[in-house]
Amino acid sequence: MTFGSTIRADFQSYLVSDTFPFRINFATSKATVMATVLIDKLLQAAIKQGVSDIHIVVGQPPVFRLHGRMRKLETKTLEAEDAVALMKSITPERCQRELQEAGSTDFGFAFGDQARFRVSVFKQRGFISMVLRQIPNDKLTPEQLGLPDSVVKLVHRPRGLFLVTGPTGSGKSTTLASLVNMLNETVDHHIITIEDPIEFYHDHKKSTVNQREVGVDVPSFSEAIRRALRQDPDVILVGELRDLATIEAAISAAETGHIVFGTLHTNSAQGTVNRIIDAFPGNLQDQVRTQLASSLIGVVAQTLLPKIGGGRVAAYEILIVTSGISNLIRENKTFRINSAIQTGAKFGMQLMDDALFKHWAEGRVTIEDVLAKSHLPDELAKRIVQYRQGIAEETPANK
C-alpha cells in the first residue's frame, strides 16, 4: 500500500459522526454526498500516522508532513469559512484577539492524553492559515535520539550555558525535552522551563518541575529568567533566545551558578557563538566574549534527514567548550572553532559534515539528502567519491 493510499484509507475511516459539536462539510466535485470531518478525527489521523505537522491553508485540502515530506489529503479544497471554523474550534479567546490585532498568534493544547499540539495561526492574503506541530507525549531517551555520552555529561554539570540550535523543525524541542526528562528522572533538582508556548509537559518525578508560558504566566522570556533567579532553580530552560534582553539574562543566569538550556536558529556551533556576540552593540562585544568564554559549556547544532525505509534521523554537530575553545571565544578567533571541533574528537566533538557522512556510509540516508544538509557540499561530495573508490579514510563505524 502506498503512502497516499494509507493516508486516504485512515483519514476516510474517520469520517461521519453526529456526536461532536464541531464539523466541516466536504463535498466532492462530482457528487452531492457530504462527508462530516471532525477536527478531533483529523488530529487522530495525524497521531496514528506519526505526522509531524498539519497545514491548514485556504485553496487546498489539509496537508500532512510525514518524514519531512508534504502530502495533501484527498478531500475537498478548504474554503475561507472552513479555515475560520477550524481555527475557532481550538484557539483560545485571548489568542483570537491577538490574531485580530497582530495578524498571528501561537499557543499549545493537549489532545486528550494522546499528544500535544503547538499551533501557529496567521493571516495570509486575507485568509486564515494554521500549522499544527505534533508534540508526542512519549519522550525519547538521549540514546534513542542518538545523542552521544559527551552531551549527556554536559547537562549534568552544575552551571553553564548549554545551547541546542538548528532551523525550525530540526527537533530542538525534542532534544531538550529528552534531556530535561532524563534529569527529572535521575536527580533531585528544581527545573524551571520558560516556553512560548509550552510544548512537552513534564510531571514531577525525582525533580520538581515548574513550566511557565510566556504570555500566560509571565510577560516575556527575559522577565521570567530574572524572576527565576529568586525561585531556587537548579536548571533553567529558555525556549528561545530570541532577543538581546533574553540572551543577556540567560548568560547572567549561567554566570551566577545555574545550568541554563536554550535554543537558537543557527545551523552550526561556530555560527551560534557569532550570533550571540553579534546580538550586542559593538561597544559591549568584548565584554560579552569574556562572559561567553566563561559561561558557555557546549553547543549541539542539529538537523533532521529522511531515513531510508521511513522515519527521520538526526545529525548533530557537537561543540564541547574546552579551555582552548574558551580562549578562541575570548580572543575573537571564532573562525578557528571548526578546526578545534575537528581535532577535538577525543572530547566527543564532531562537525556536522562528519555526522552526515557517517549516516550515509552506514546506509541510513541518501546521498542527495546528505548533500542538501551539508555545510560544505562540494567537499563532502568529494569525500564520498573517495570513500566509494576505497581511497578515503577508514569507515566511520571503525573510528
Side-chain angles (χ1 to χ4, degrees), residues 22-24 39 80-90 130:
F22 173 75
R23 58 180 177 266
I24 311 170
I39 181 63
E81 56 268 27
D82 300 324
V84 171
L86 277 167
M87 181 275 291
K88 289 186 175 181
S89 71
I90 59 174
M130 291 197 299

Side-chain angles (χ1 to χ4, degrees), residues 173-210:
S173 297
T174 300
T175 296
L176 284 176
S178 173
L179 295 172
V180 168
N181 186 61
M182 177 194 67
L183 292 175
N184 191 14
E185 292 179 336
T186 58
V187 294
D188 54 345
H189 280 352
H190 178 204
I191 301 171
I192 299 175
T193 76
I194 307 161
E195 302 170 77
D196 182 20
I198 294 172
E199 298 188 19
F200 290 88
Y201 275 1
H202 294 275
D203 297 327
H204 306 297
K205 297 178 182 177
K206 195 166 185 179
S207 291
T208 297
V209 185
N210 281 296

Side-chain angles (χ1 to χ4, degrees), residues 26-197:
F26 291 93
T28 64
S29 58
K30 297 182 179 179
T32 59
V33 177
M34 302 299 289
T36 302
V37 182
L38 307 183
I39 181 63
D40 63 334
K41 301 305 181 184
L42 181 66
L43 300 179
Q44 285 176 12
I47 292 169
K48 181 176 180 180
Q49 290 293 330
V51 168
S52 63
D53 299 89
I54 305 170
H55 290 252
I56 303 296
V57 181
V58 172
Q60 67 174 8
V63 178
F64 282 175
R65 185 185 288 276
L66 181 61
H67 308 326
R69 311 298 188 193
M70 300 280 278
R71 296 292 185 268
K72 295 181 181 179
L73 298 179
E74 295 189 1
T75 63
K76 175 183 172 285
T77 296
L78 289 171
E79 298 179 2
E81 56 268 27
D82 300 324
V84 171
L86 277 167
M87 181 275 291
K88 289 186 175 181
S89 71
I90 59 174
T91 306
E93 287 293 334
R94 64 174 180 83
C95 293
Q96 292 189 41
R97 290 193 297 270
E98 183 181 18
L99 176 65
Q100 292 303 315
E101 295 168 1
S104 59
T105 188
D106 301 310
F107 62 94
F109 71 92
F111 183 58
D113 58 359
Q114 298 183 58
R116 284 183 55 79
F117 286 86
R118 184 185 72 199
V119 185
S120 179
V121 187
F122 55 97
K123 293 182 180 179
Q124 60 90 24
R125 295 168 60 180
F127 299 120
I128 297 295
S129 291
M130 291 197 299
V131 179
L132 295 84
R133 166 69 53 84
Q134 183 181 171
I135 311 295
N137 283 342
D138 294 332
K139 303 171 190 70
L140 299 176
T141 66
E143 292 76 16
Q144 289 172 317
L145 292 176
L147 287 167
D149 289 341
S150 57
V151 173
V152 174
K153 290 176 181 177
L154 273 185
V155 301
H156 278 100
R157 292 192 187 181
R159 64 188 63 84
L161 179 63
F162 172 76
L163 301 175
V164 177
T165 76
T168 300
S170 60
K172 299 185 295 295
S173 297
T174 300
T175 296
L176 284 176
S178 173
L179 295 172
V180 168
N181 186 61
M182 177 194 67
L183 292 175
N184 191 14
E185 292 179 336
T186 58
V187 294
D188 54 345
H189 280 352
H190 178 204
I191 301 171
I192 299 175
T193 76
I194 307 161
E195 302 170 77
D196 182 20

